[in-house]
Amino acid sequence: MRLLPLPLLLAALLVAPVAAQTGSPVRQDLVGTTEPMAEHAVYFVLTDRFVNGDPTNDQREQGLPDHGTFDRVTPGAPPGRTDNAGYLGGDFRGLLDNAGYIRDMGFGAVWLSPIVENPNEAFSGGEAVVWGGHFTDRGKTGYHGYWGTNFFRVDEHWPSEGLGFRELTEGLRARGLKTVLDIVLNHGSPAFGAPAQRDDFGKLFDAEGRLLADHQNLHPKRLRPDREPLHAFFNTKPDIAQLADFNEDNPAVLEYFVAAYLKWIEEGADAFRVDTIKHMPHSFWKRFTDRIRAVHPGFFLFGEAFDYDPEVLGAFTRPENGGIAVLDFPLQKAMGEVFGRPRTGFEAIERVLFLEGGPYANPYELMTFHDNHDMPRLDADDAGFINAHNLLFTVRGIPVVYYGSEIGFERGTAEHAGNRNYFGQARIDAAPAHPIHQALRRIARLRAQTPALQRGLQLNLLFEGERAAFYRVYEQGAVAQTALVLLNKGDAAAEFRLTGPLQPGRWREALEGRTLELREGEAFEARVPANGVQVYLYERPLTAPALRAAVEAMRRP
């Protein structure tokens, strides 16, 4: 068993005699983050694929006869499998009707896909959508919301009478859930490569519905922003597939998006998830976040920089680049290795936590996840999902769970191969009986009521093979709480014997309620069931000199 790293033990030994000499040393706050969003685990829904709560807004005739938008089956699926590139009916009503289901699992926030207006037809350019295809858009629709044409208006597929975005956020808040809105600034709808320009593809409209920009179905290299004002919003080189790529150097682009997204904050968005953040320069994000936070100080944003290099990701988190948290892709990759098929040891997790001296402004504010809509879902058995969630809701960071992972929905499937399939009310109604759901609800609800797991400093004791052990320590104001987390992802019960650094006193195992009285000089011993987690809580300030010094050494600068 590998215990506390030598540098931390040396720090503990140096500090302990000083504490003994002074009698009552000044206690420092022990906090990983003070970010309010850290309190809330996040449930991510692709709105169209969650629940169809109002069939009257399905727009089933839209785009017919030849470019219909509803129920477009992806060709090439193997027998018994399915995927769809059209709308399937999920909406605000389906989300709000199931807010209690989400909250009951232990989530405090919902991240929903972009709500802005998208084209009213299927795209006729690019490569045809086929089973398992990537960056293929012909025959695909804007069901996902990332093909905006008017960023000031809600797409007609989402609202119902009396239930617009403002009413949705109010309803979610009344049910104990914050709203995280997915936003896009890098690109609009598919803009070129079609036989002829159709509908609103490649166009951009303002709040009053006036045409601001038009790609005119021209390849980016053929745009002439110096001569044609309608081209000025776009870059003159392609980026992602055939999408219109917005020109970050045009001040009008920044003004447009600042105005649009301030509107959605005013209607109740509590935080933003920023799509494709890596595709625009840091200077742009600094200007954008400064403008947003000038009106809403401290507003929380996290970005999707789809990259496994922590140095690339860390740059976005620095104040000079906008201070935007990011989705933790290195941890996501490690979780797939540790909990998927085939499984590796917990060592892979420890390597990517970067608790000390890493590239992130604050690793405790990273958004942690094991999969999402842009990558294959976690390929794991039920035990793999249970173990992944046990880690996700106890380790540093803010957990994000993609809809359906509470039952292992479409596990292992990629985009255009089932990753974004329709979930539906029947699955939600049946989910509480599923073992993954039951285990997720258990650990997520514990995090929701445990400050140490939400924002406490992390001190690792053991990340080896099938076992992991670590502290989460939170001491600020009147709250003092330490969590000792024990994880066993093995198929048999595992024995833990921890010899230091330890805090004598009464520890309560939070999931089962039993207590353990630890005496000075004793080892901490526990038996954790197969695919299990135990969280022991100590509800007083740490007084053991070696442990306190080791945790203080982990404090953020």
Side-chain angles (χ1 to χ4, degrees):
M1 178 185 298
R2 182 170 53 80
L3 296 177
L4 193 67
L6 182 59
L8 293 183
L9 277 175
L10 291 174
L13 293 172
L14 289 172
V15 173
V18 175
Q21 292 169 14
T22 57
S24 56
V26 176
R27 300 212 181 277
Q28 305 180 64
D29 285 350
L30 302 178
V31 181
T33 177
T34 57
E35 167 55 49
M37 187 56 69
E39 180 182 343
H40 307 290
V42 181
Y43 187 79
F44 171 33
V45 297
L46 209 60
T47 305
D48 177 73
R49 301 308 169 86
F50 192 53
V51 174
N52 187 350
D54 179 7
T56 67
N57 62 16
D58 288 355
Q59 318 295 332
R60 293 182 180 230
E61 306 301 314
Q62 191 179 71
L64 294 176
D66 53 347
H67 294 82
T69 61
F70 194 84
D71 193 11
R72 299 181 62 91
V73 176
T74 301
R81 304 291 300 280
T82 185
D83 181 74
N84 204 290
Y87 287 88
L88 294 176
D91 47 34
F92 289 168
R93 174 53 61 194
L95 176 55
L96 189 58
D97 284 351
N98 289 284
Y101 164 80
I102 298 169
R103 180 61 180 164
D104 179 72
M105 277 190 288
F107 293 95
V110 175
W111 156 16
L112 64 157
S113 49
I115 62 172
V116 300
E117 195 165 277
N118 275 230
N120 295 332
E121 292 188 350
F123 185 47
S124 59
E127 297 181 42
V129 171
V130 295
W131 179 264
H134 193 55
F135 292 130
T136 55
D137 288 337
R138 192 196 318 157
K140 190 173 181 177
T141 67
Y143 72 87
H144 42 68
Y146 295 98
W147 290 357
T149 57
N150 189 326
F151 290 77
F152 289 87
R153 294 187 178 179
V154 173
D155 191 90
E156 65 275 9
H157 290 85
W158 317 135
S160 301
E161 185 175 353
L163 182 58
F165 183 68
R166 184 187 300 276
E167 291 77 20
L168 173 66
T169 62
E170 291 172 349
L172 290 174
R173 191 170 296 113
R175 292 159 176 80
L177 294 168
K178 291 187 177 294
T179 300
V180 177
L181 180 61
D182 205 324
I183 68 171
V184 188
L185 290 82
N186 172 66
H187 63 262
S189 63
F192 61 96
Q197 187 174 30
R198 299 181 60 93
D199 194 50
D200 287 340
F201 285 102
K203 297 179 181 179
L204 185 69
F205 298 88
D206 68 12
E208 285 71 44
R210 296 173 300 211
L211 183 67
L212 280 182
D214 190 347
H215 219 281
Q216 298 176 331
N217 200 31
L218 297 171
H219 190 279
K221 292 182 179 180
R222 295 181 58 199
L223 296 174
R224 294 294 178 264
D226 54 333
R227 298 201 299 266
E228 172 54 73
L230 290 175
H231 296 174
F233 260 66
F234 307 118
N235 282 317
T236 55
K237 59 181 180 180
D239 186 14
I240 302 173
Q242 289 78 41
L243 300 181
D245 194 67
F246 293 128
N247 178 8
E248 64 276 6
D249 294 324
N250 182 349
V253 171
L254 178 63
E255 295 301 322
Y256 180 86
F257 285 116
V258 167
Y261 290 126
L262 283 175
K263 167 188 167 69
W264 300 122
I265 296 174
E266 291 160 4
E267 293 199 12
D270 296 294
F272 287 154
R273 178 268 190 184
V274 187
D275 185 66
T276 52
I277 194 171
K278 194 173 70 169
H279 293 254
M280 300 180 88
H282 295 302
S283 57
F284 177 85
W285 296 119
K286 174 62 172 169
R287 294 194 299 270
F288 177 73
T289 55
D290 283 352
R291 291 285 298 278
I292 294 295
R293 289 169 178 156
V295 182
H296 299 280
F299 191 81
F300 186 70
L301 304 92
F302 65 94
E304 176 237 6
F306 202 136
D307 201 297
Y308 293 103
D309 185 343
E311 295 293 337
V312 171
L313 297 177
F316 292 97
T317 70
R318 296 170 195 149
E320 63 270 23
N321 295 331
I324 302 172
V326 291
L327 287 155
D328 190 349
F329 280 90
L331 180 59
Q332 178 273 324
K333 182 179 180 182
M335 290 185 72
E337 296 169 354
V338 172
F339 303 113
R341 290 184 275 248
R343 298 187 311 192
T344 61
F346 267 116
E347 296 89 344
I349 299 294
E350 187 172 29
R351 287 194 291 268
V352 296
L353 293 178
F354 296 104
L355 300 176
E356 295 180 277
Y360 306 112
N362 190 332
Y364 295 91
E365 295 172 7
L366 299 181
M367 308 302 292
T368 54
F369 67 111
H370 56 62
D371 60 26
N372 65 25
H373 59 315
D374 287 330
M375 59 176 58
R377 286 181 179 260
L378 180 64
D379 186 13
D381 57 16
D382 285 5
F385 274 91
I386 290 169
N387 289 319
H389 294 150
N390 285 340
L391 174 81
L392 195 63
F393 284 83
T394 54
V395 79
R396 67 101 177 103
I398 304 172
V400 179
V401 173
Y402 186 35
Y403 81 94
S405 288
E406 65 268 31
I407 62 169
F409 180 59
E410 292 287 354
R411 63 191 77 189
T413 62
E415 183 183 358
H416 296 157
N419 169 287
R420 303 178 179 182
N421 276 354
Y422 182 75
F423 198 48
Q425 193 64 53
R427 288 189 179 91
I428 288 176
D429 293 343
H434 199 287
I436 299 177
H437 180 284
Q438 292 170 354
L440 169 63
R441 181 178 183 271
R442 186 170 179 250
I443 194 64
R445 287 168 68 98
L446 176 61
R447 184 188 188 276
Q449 61 191 24
T450 307
L453 296 180
Q454 298 165 8
R455 57 185 76 247
L457 289 166
Q458 181 164 335
L459 177 66
N460 294 340
L461 298 176
L462 170 71
F463 273 81
E464 199 170 279
E466 306 292 281
R467 297 177 303 157
F470 53 91
Y471 289 108
R472 299 293 306 279
V473 182
Y474 179 76
E475 293 186 16
Q476 188 175 48
V479 180
Q481 185 181 72
T482 294
L484 174 57
V485 178
L486 307 179
L487 298 172
N488 171 25
K489 71 183 188 70
D491 295 329
E495 303 291 340
F496 285 76
R497 188 176 189 276
L498 306 175
T499 57
L502 297 171
Q503 170 66 52
R506 174 166 294 184
W507 292 78
R508 176 177 60 87
E509 204 291 303
L511 292 166
E512 299 293 341
R514 64 181 176 276
T515 60
L516 181 152
E517 193 72 37
L518 187 66
R519 296 182 177 85
E520 187 78 41
E522 282 186 334
F524 195 108
E525 297 183 340
R527 179 181 175 86
V528 180
N531 305 303
V533 56
Q534 292 178 359
V535 180
Y536 290 85
L537 298 179
Y538 181 76
E539 304 281 5
R540 299 178 61 187
L542 294 177
T543 57
L547 177 55
R548 184 165 195 93
V551 176
E552 288 181 353
M554 305 297 294
R555 292 173 71 244
R556 305 298 302 167

